[in-house]
Amino acid sequence: MDKNTSNTQEVEVRKGPWTMEEDLILINYIANHGEGVWNSLARSAGLKRTGKSCRLRWLNYLRPDVRRGNITPEEQLLIMELHARWGNRWSKIARHLPGRTDNEIKNYWRTRIQKQIKQAEPFANQNCTLAHDASTSHACGAKDEVDPYSPAYAMSNPEPFATPLPTESNDCFWSMEDLWFPQLFNGD
DNA sequence: AACCATTGCAACCGCAACATC
DNA sequence: AGATGTTGCGGTTGCAATGGT
């Protein structure tokens, strides 16, 4: 049974998690032809994916220079600083963290930092009438308090943000090193 | 051991900006 | 100048993995 074989067989588009085979096809194709117009790339490569999906997969996961997991304390600080400055401009923030993607930073922010902020909120926010969504509100009347988003806060309060860094979280079924094998680039 | 809740992350969706014709 | 296609972005969702009871 194929996943998305609807009765309209003009365009069957696969969705959901990428398989290793699809990854290899995409990597091979880009290695041989370079990036181009993603829609036609997807078609030419024989992938039953949208160009959008291919682009996302490539940028967030398959690119050789992409770094995943193990966000360092320095990077965390930088993220907090840049987020305090620009808000949710994830792609803008990502440009200042080589090898990191906007998606990863966004996820990291939401799952780690935002959580820490929420935990700290009852203490930092006692004078605030309304606890805004931590991702968007930086404005709190308590001017004397150190902005929990600021690097200064993180420096002086290592605990709240000292999330145990993921331990070797690069354990996928296959690593990028496995995929980026020289021999892959020969075939087409 | 089984069930339920929570967490973390990959991927999708909708929209806006931009490029090309 | 307008229509159409493509890209980039931010928000959101789905689901596997993990932890707790």
Side-chain angles (χ1 to χ4, degrees):
Chain A
M1 249 75 90
D2 220 339
K3 300 211 160 115
N4 287 317
T5 40
S6 59
N7 14 7
T8 58
Q9 52 179 204
E10 333 117 307
V11 245
E12 42 172 330
V13 178
R14 265 184 58 83
K15 288 184 181 180
W18 279 63
T19 65
M20 185 181 184
E21 199 179 2
E22 289 176 309
D23 282 346
L24 287 173
I25 292 172
L26 184 56
I27 290 172
N28 263 325
Y29 191 90
I30 292 178
N32 287 317
H33 302 92
E35 298 176 31
V37 178
W38 287 105
N39 277 334
S40 53
L41 184 153
R43 257 179 279 119
S44 306
L47 288 164
K48 294 179 172 61
R49 297 276 182 172
T50 63
K52 218 171 179 177
S53 178
C54 292
R55 174 184 165 272
L56 199 71
R57 183 65 176 170
W58 174 253
L59 292 179
N60 286 336
Y61 197 87
L62 297 176
R63 257 188 331 169
D65 60 326
V66 76
R67 291 194 297 144
R68 300 173 59 245
N70 292 332
I71 289 187
T72 66
E74 290 77 22
E75 287 176 314
Q76 184 174 324
L77 265 180
L78 190 54
I79 291 170
M80 289 191 294
E81 182 185 345
L82 296 179
H83 186 272
R85 195 183 308 169
W86 294 323
N88 295 0
R89 320 305 299 184
W90 304 116
S91 61
K92 199 171 179 180
I93 293 171
R95 275 181 226 124
H96 290 73
L97 290 118
R100 301 295 184 188
T101 68
D102 55 347
N103 207 34
E104 183 176 22
I105 293 172
K106 179 171 59 182
N107 279 333
Y108 184 76
W109 179 268
R110 295 180 65 86
T111 59
R112 314 285 176 83
I113 301 180
Q114 200 173 66
K115 191 174 76 182
Q116 301 292 347
I117 289 169
K118 280 221 164 102
Q119 282 171 0
E121 229 168 36
F123 308 101
N125 247 6
Q126 274 173 352
N127 294 332
C128 292
T129 51
L130 178 63
H132 302 298
D133 179 2
S135 68
T136 53
S137 95
H138 305 164
C140 173
K143 282 250 165 102
D144 295 338
E145 305 213 54
V146 181
D147 180 2
Y149 288 80
S150 74
Y153 180 90
M155 289 292 205
S156 56
N157 298 274
E159 277 89 11
F161 291 109
T163 52
L165 294 170
T167 58
E168 301 301 319
S169 64
N170 291 330
D171 43 3
C172 321
F173 288 108
W174 61 89
S175 70
M176 284 306 102
E177 288 75 15
D178 294 335
L179 290 177
W180 279 97
F181 221 66
Q183 68 186 40
L184 295 176
F185 305 143
N186 301 329
D188 192 358

PDB file of all heavy atoms in Angstrom, chain A residues 135-161:
ATOM      1  N   SER A 135       7.277  34.183  24.819  1.00  0.00           N
ATOM      2  CA  SER A 135       8.017  34.303  23.573  1.00  0.00           C
ATOM      3  C   SER A 135       7.888  35.695  22.993  1.00  0.00           C
ATOM      4  O   SER A 135       8.656  36.092  22.136  1.00  0.00           O
ATOM      5  CB  SER A 135       7.510  33.304  22.560  1.00  0.00           C
ATOM      6  OG  SER A 135       6.214  33.637  22.177  1.00  0.00           O
ATOM      7  N   THR A 136       6.916  36.447  23.432  1.00  0.00           N
ATOM      8  CA  THR A 136       6.717  37.725  22.789  1.00  0.00           C
ATOM      9  C   THR A 136       6.867  38.895  23.728  1.00  0.00           C
ATOM     10  O   THR A 136       7.129  39.998  23.310  1.00  0.00           O
ATOM     11  CB  THR A 136       5.316  37.801  22.169  1.00  0.00           C
ATOM     12  OG1 THR A 136       4.374  37.474  23.183  1.00  0.00           O
ATOM     13  CG2 THR A 136       5.191  36.834  21.013  1.00  0.00           C
ATOM     14  N   SER A 137       6.670  38.673  25.004  1.00  0.00           N
ATOM     15  CA  SER A 137       6.664  39.820  25.878  1.00  0.00           C
ATOM     16  C   SER A 137       7.968  39.969  26.609  1.00  0.00           C
ATOM     17  O   SER A 137       8.413  39.074  27.297  1.00  0.00           O
ATOM     18  CB  SER A 137       5.550  39.681  26.893  1.00  0.00           C
ATOM     19  OG  SER A 137       6.024  39.133  28.074  1.00  0.00           O
ATOM     20  N   HIS A 138       8.558  41.100  26.408  1.00  0.00           N
ATOM     21  CA  HIS A 138       9.743  41.388  27.177  1.00  0.00           C
ATOM     22  C   HIS A 138       9.445  42.498  28.146  1.00  0.00           C
ATOM     23  O   HIS A 138      10.206  42.786  29.029  1.00  0.00           O
ATOM     24  CB  HIS A 138      10.887  41.846  26.283  1.00  0.00           C
ATOM     25  CG  HIS A 138      11.181  40.871  25.198  1.00  0.00           C
ATOM     26  ND1 HIS A 138      11.910  41.185  24.114  1.00  0.00           N
ATOM     27  CD2 HIS A 138      10.811  39.584  25.054  1.00  0.00           C
ATOM     28  CE1 HIS A 138      12.001  40.142  23.328  1.00  0.00           C
ATOM     29  NE2 HIS A 138      11.330  39.174  23.886  1.00  0.00           N
ATOM     30  N   ALA A 139       8.363  43.170  27.945  1.00  0.00           N
ATOM     31  CA  ALA A 139       8.088  44.352  28.726  1.00  0.00           C
ATOM     32  C   ALA A 139       7.425  43.987  30.038  1.00  0.00           C
ATOM     33  O   ALA A 139       6.330  43.478  30.079  1.00  0.00           O
ATOM     34  CB  ALA A 139       7.185  45.281  27.922  1.00  0.00           C
ATOM     35  N   CYS A 140       8.122  44.268  31.075  1.00  0.00           N
ATOM     36  CA  CYS A 140       7.568  44.080  32.400  1.00  0.00           C
ATOM     37  C   CYS A 140       7.931  45.306  33.185  1.00  0.00           C
ATOM     38  O   CYS A 140       9.033  45.839  33.042  1.00  0.00           O
ATOM     39  CB  CYS A 140       8.120  42.812  33.037  1.00  0.00           C
ATOM     40  SG  CYS A 140       7.637  42.618  34.744  1.00  0.00           S
ATOM     41  N   GLY A 141       7.020  45.750  33.992  1.00  0.00           N
ATOM     42  CA  GLY A 141       7.254  46.987  34.699  1.00  0.00           C
ATOM     43  C   GLY A 141       8.452  46.962  35.620  1.00  0.00           C
ATOM     44  O   GLY A 141       9.053  47.993  35.887  1.00  0.00           O
ATOM     45  N   ALA A 142       8.805  45.825  36.072  1.00  0.00           N
ATOM     46  CA  ALA A 142       9.875  45.741  37.053  1.00  0.00           C
ATOM     47  C   ALA A 142      11.214  46.034  36.422  1.00  0.00           C
ATOM     48  O   ALA A 142      11.961  45.153  36.040  1.00  0.00           O
ATOM     49  CB  ALA A 142       9.890  44.359  37.688  1.00  0.00           C
ATOM     50  N   LYS A 143      11.508  47.299  36.290  1.00  0.00           N
ATOM     51  CA  LYS A 143      12.704  47.721  35.581  1.00  0.00           C
ATOM     52  C   LYS A 143      13.963  47.327  36.330  1.00  0.00           C
ATOM     53  O   LYS A 143      15.023  47.156  35.734  1.00  0.00           O
ATOM     54  CB  LYS A 143      12.685  49.237  35.408  1.00  0.00           C
ATOM     55  CG  LYS A 143      11.777  49.681  34.285  1.00  0.00           C
ATOM     56  CD  LYS A 143      12.627  50.196  33.144  1.00  0.00           C
ATOM     57  CE  LYS A 143      11.837  50.315  31.859  1.00  0.00           C
ATOM     58  NZ  LYS A 143      11.399  51.543  31.445  1.00  0.00           N
ATOM     59  N   ASP A 144      13.868  47.245  37.639  1.00  0.00           N
ATOM     60  CA  ASP A 144      15.068  46.975  38.409  1.00  0.00           C
ATOM     61  C   ASP A 144      15.537  45.532  38.225  1.00  0.00           C
ATOM     62  O   ASP A 144      16.679  45.219  38.430  1.00  0.00           O
ATOM     63  CB  ASP A 144      14.813  47.234  39.900  1.00  0.00           C
ATOM     64  CG  ASP A 144      14.524  48.700  40.125  1.00  0.00           C
ATOM     65  OD1 ASP A 144      14.928  49.504  39.257  1.00  0.00           O
ATOM     66  OD2 ASP A 144      13.889  49.027  41.130  1.00  0.00           O
ATOM     67  N   GLU A 145      14.600  44.717  37.851  1.00  0.00           N
ATOM     68  CA  GLU A 145      14.991  43.337  37.716  1.00  0.00           C
ATOM     69  C   GLU A 145      15.764  43.150  36.429  1.00  0.00           C
ATOM     70  O   GLU A 145      15.538  43.807  35.441  1.00  0.00           O
ATOM     71  CB  GLU A 145      13.735  42.468  37.686  1.00  0.00           C
ATOM     72  CG  GLU A 145      12.875  42.729  38.887  1.00  0.00           C
ATOM     73  CD  GLU A 145      12.165  41.475  39.309  1.00  0.00           C
ATOM     74  OE1 GLU A 145      12.838  40.475  39.517  1.00  0.00           O
ATOM     75  OE2 GLU A 145      10.955  41.492  39.436  1.00  0.00           O
ATOM     76  N   VAL A 146      16.655  42.232  36.501  1.00  0.00           N
ATOM     77  CA  VAL A 146      17.414  41.931  35.300  1.00  0.00           C
ATOM     78  C   VAL A 146      16.502  41.233  34.321  1.00  0.00           C
ATOM     79  O   VAL A 146      15.768  40.323  34.689  1.00  0.00           O
ATOM     80  CB  VAL A 146      18.598  41.026  35.644  1.00  0.00           C
ATOM     81  CG1 VAL A 146      19.401  40.722  34.400  1.00  0.00           C
ATOM     82  CG2 VAL A 146      19.457  41.686  36.696  1.00  0.00           C
ATOM     83  N   ASP A 147      16.542  41.702  33.131  1.00  0.00           N
ATOM     84  CA  ASP A 147      15.749  41.080  32.092  1.00  0.00           C
ATOM     85  C   ASP A 147      16.149  39.619  31.948  1.00  0.00           C
ATOM     86  O   ASP A 147      17.289  39.302  31.643  1.00  0.00           O
ATOM     87  CB  ASP A 147      16.008  41.809  30.777  1.00  0.00           C
ATOM     88  CG  ASP A 147      15.211  41.208  29.635  1.00  0.00           C
ATOM     89  OD1 ASP A 147      14.436  40.263  29.881  1.00  0.00           O
ATOM     90  OD2 ASP A 147      15.376  41.687  28.521  1.00  0.00           O
ATOM     91  N   PRO A 148      15.209  38.728  32.176  1.00  0.00           N
ATOM     92  CA  PRO A 148      15.558  37.309  32.102  1.00  0.00           C
ATOM     93  C   PRO A 148      16.023  36.899  30.719  1.00  0.00           C
ATOM     94  O   PRO A 148      16.542  35.814  30.536  1.00  0.00           O
ATOM     95  CB  PRO A 148      14.266  36.600  32.490  1.00  0.00           C
ATOM     96  CG  PRO A 148      13.194  37.596  32.305  1.00  0.00           C
ATOM     97  CD  PRO A 148      13.809  38.942  32.498  1.00  0.00           C
ATOM     98  N   TYR A 149      15.812  37.744  29.732  1.00  0.00           N
ATOM     99  CA  TYR A 149      16.259  37.426  28.387  1.00  0.00           C
ATOM    100  C   TYR A 149      17.690  37.867  28.157  1.00  0.00           C
ATOM    101  O   TYR A 149      18.298  37.524  27.171  1.00  0.00           O
ATOM    102  CB  TYR A 149      15.384  38.139  27.349  1.00  0.00           C
ATOM    103  CG  TYR A 149      14.019  37.564  27.223  1.00  0.00           C
ATOM    104  CD1 TYR A 149      13.024  37.885  28.139  1.00  0.00           C
ATOM    105  CD2 TYR A 149      13.719  36.690  26.194  1.00  0.00           C
ATOM    106  CE1 TYR A 149      11.762  37.360  28.010  1.00  0.00           C
ATOM    107  CE2 TYR A 149      12.452  36.162  26.059  1.00  0.00           C
ATOM    108  CZ  TYR A 149      11.476  36.493  26.960  1.00  0.00           C
ATOM    109  OH  TYR A 149      10.234  35.970  26.838  1.00  0.00           O
ATOM    110  N   SER A 150      18.169  38.701  29.049  1.00  0.00           N
ATOM    111  CA  SER A 150      19.458  39.296  28.759  1.00  0.00           C
ATOM    112  C   SER A 150      20.593  38.357  29.089  1.00  0.00           C
ATOM    113  O   SER A 150      20.496  37.525  29.989  1.00  0.00           O
ATOM    114  CB  SER A 150      19.615  40.569  29.577  1.00  0.00           C
ATOM    115  OG  SER A 150      19.848  40.239  30.920  1.00  0.00           O
ATOM    116  N   PRO A 151      21.681  38.505  28.371  1.00  0.00           N
ATOM    117  CA  PRO A 151      22.860  37.689  28.661  1.00  0.00           C
ATOM    118  C   PRO A 151      23.323  37.905  30.087  1.00  0.00           C
ATOM    119  O   PRO A 151      23.802  36.968  30.722  1.00  0.00           O
ATOM    120  CB  PRO A 151      23.896  38.216  27.670  1.00  0.00           C
ATOM    121  CG  PRO A 151      23.126  38.867  26.593  1.00  0.00           C
ATOM    122  CD  PRO A 151      21.861  39.368  27.229  1.00  0.00           C
ATOM    123  N   ALA A 152      23.146  39.116  30.580  1.00  0.00           N
ATOM    124  CA  ALA A 152      23.588  39.394  31.939  1.00  0.00           C
ATOM    125  C   ALA A 152      22.864  38.490  32.921  1.00  0.00           C
ATOM    126  O   ALA A 152      23.446  37.968  33.875  1.00  0.00           O
ATOM    127  CB  ALA A 152      23.321  40.859  32.276  1.00  0.00           C
ATOM    128  N   TYR A 153      21.604  38.308  32.660  1.00  0.00           N
ATOM    129  CA  TYR A 153      20.819  37.448  33.541  1.00  0.00           C
ATOM    130  C   TYR A 153      21.347  36.022  33.463  1.00  0.00           C
ATOM    131  O   TYR A 153      21.552  35.351  34.475  1.00  0.00           O
ATOM    132  CB  TYR A 153      19.352  37.472  33.128  1.00  0.00           C
ATOM    133  CG  TYR A 153      18.475  36.595  34.000  1.00  0.00           C
ATOM    134  CD1 TYR A 153      17.884  37.111  35.148  1.00  0.00           C
ATOM    135  CD2 TYR A 153      18.262  35.257  33.698  1.00  0.00           C
ATOM    136  CE1 TYR A 153      17.087  36.322  35.946  1.00  0.00           C
ATOM    137  CE2 TYR A 153      17.470  34.464  34.494  1.00  0.00           C
ATOM    138  CZ  TYR A 153      16.871  34.996  35.616  1.00  0.00           C
ATOM    139  OH  TYR A 153      16.088  34.206  36.401  1.00  0.00           O
ATOM    140  N   ALA A 154      21.573  35.590  32.274  1.00  0.00           N
ATOM    141  CA  ALA A 154      22.045  34.215  32.104  1.00  0.00           C
ATOM    142  C   ALA A 154      23.411  34.024  32.743  1.00  0.00           C
ATOM    143  O   ALA A 154      23.703  32.975  33.314  1.00  0.00           O
ATOM    144  CB  ALA A 154      22.107  33.862  30.622  1.00  0.00           C
ATOM    145  N   MET A 155      24.227  35.072  32.629  1.00  0.00           N
ATOM    146  CA  MET A 155      25.559  34.992  33.214  1.00  0.00           C
ATOM    147  C   MET A 155      25.481  34.867  34.725  1.00  0.00           C
ATOM    148  O   MET A 155      26.128  34.027  35.339  1.00  0.00           O
ATOM    149  CB  MET A 155      26.355  36.259  32.885  1.00  0.00           C
ATOM    150  CG  MET A 155      26.769  36.365  31.448  1.00  0.00           C
ATOM    151  SD  MET A 155      28.004  35.120  31.031  1.00  0.00           S
ATOM    152  CE  MET A 155      28.810  35.903  29.668  1.00  0.00           C
ATOM    153  N   SER A 156      24.640  35.731  35.309  1.00  0.00           N
ATOM    154  CA  SER A 156      24.608  35.760  36.754  1.00  0.00           C
ATOM    155  C   SER A 156      23.724  34.683  37.340  1.00  0.00           C
ATOM    156  O   SER A 156      23.765  34.417  38.527  1.00  0.00           O
ATOM    157  CB  SER A 156      24.117  37.123  37.224  1.00  0.00           C
ATOM    158  OG  SER A 156      22.864  37.387  36.645  1.00  0.00           O
ATOM    159  N   ASN A 157      22.902  34.071  36.510  1.00  0.00           N
ATOM    160  CA  ASN A 157      22.027  33.001  36.987  1.00  0.00           C
ATOM    161  C   ASN A 157      22.175  31.766  36.119  1.00  0.00           C
ATOM    162  O   ASN A 157      21.311  31.453  35.329  1.00  0.00           O
ATOM    163  CB  ASN A 157      20.560  33.455  36.953  1.00  0.00           C
ATOM    164  CG  ASN A 157      20.321  34.623  37.850  1.00  0.00           C
ATOM    165  OD1 ASN A 157      20.063  34.478  39.037  1.00  0.00           O
ATOM    166  ND2 ASN A 157      20.452  35.829  37.298  1.00  0.00           N
ATOM    167  N   PRO A 158      23.261  31.115  36.260  1.00  0.00           N
ATOM    168  CA  PRO A 158      23.475  29.964  35.390  1.00  0.00           C
ATOM    169  C   PRO A 158      22.416  28.901  35.551  1.00  0.00           C
ATOM    170  O   PRO A 158      22.021  28.285  34.592  1.00  0.00           O
ATOM    171  CB  PRO A 158      24.848  29.442  35.794  1.00  0.00           C
ATOM    172  CG  PRO A 158      25.187  30.095  37.069  1.00  0.00           C
ATOM    173  CD  PRO A 158      24.335  31.292  37.229  1.00  0.00           C
ATOM    174  N   GLU A 159      21.932  28.716  36.752  1.00  0.00           N
ATOM    175  CA  GLU A 159      21.023  27.587  36.968  1.00  0.00           C
ATOM    176  C   GLU A 159      19.781  27.620  36.088  1.00  0.00           C
ATOM    177  O   GLU A 159      19.497  26.648  35.409  1.00  0.00           O
ATOM    178  CB  GLU A 159      20.585  27.503  38.435  1.00  0.00           C
ATOM    179  CG  GLU A 159      21.582  26.801  39.294  1.00  0.00           C
ATOM    180  CD  GLU A 159      22.593  27.775  39.833  1.00  0.00           C
ATOM    181  OE1 GLU A 159      22.366  28.979  39.695  1.00  0.00           O
ATOM    182  OE2 GLU A 159      23.609  27.324  40.371  1.00  0.00           O
ATOM    183  N   PRO A 160      19.036  28.730  36.119  1.00  0.00           N
ATOM    184  CA  PRO A 160      17.768  28.670  35.414  1.00  0.00           C
ATOM    185  C   PRO A 160      17.909  28.265  33.964  1.00  0.00           C
ATOM    186  O   PRO A 160      17.040  27.634  33.401  1.00  0.00           O
ATOM    187  CB  PRO A 160      17.249  30.103  35.509  1.00  0.00           C
ATOM    188  CG  PRO A 160      17.900  30.674  36.691  1.00  0.00           C
ATOM    189  CD  PRO A 160      19.245  30.002  36.768  1.00  0.00           C
ATOM    190  N   PHE A 161      18.992  28.669  33.340  1.00  0.00           N
ATOM    191  CA  PHE A 161      19.133  28.349  31.934  1.00  0.00           C
ATOM    192  C   PHE A 161      20.115  27.224  31.686  1.00  0.00           C
ATOM    193  O   PHE A 161      20.347  26.835  30.575  1.00  0.00           O
ATOM    194  CB  PHE A 161      19.590  29.571  31.155  1.00  0.00           C
ATOM    195  CG  PHE A 161      18.531  30.609  31.100  1.00  0.00           C
ATOM    196  CD1 PHE A 161      18.653  31.786  31.824  1.00  0.00           C
ATOM    197  CD2 PHE A 161      17.374  30.377  30.364  1.00  0.00           C
ATOM    198  CE1 PHE A 161      17.657  32.729  31.766  1.00  0.00           C
ATOM    199  CE2 PHE A 161      16.380  31.336  30.307  1.00  0.00           C
ATOM    200  CZ  PHE A 161      16.520  32.517  31.019  1.00  0.00           C
TER     201      PHE A 161
END
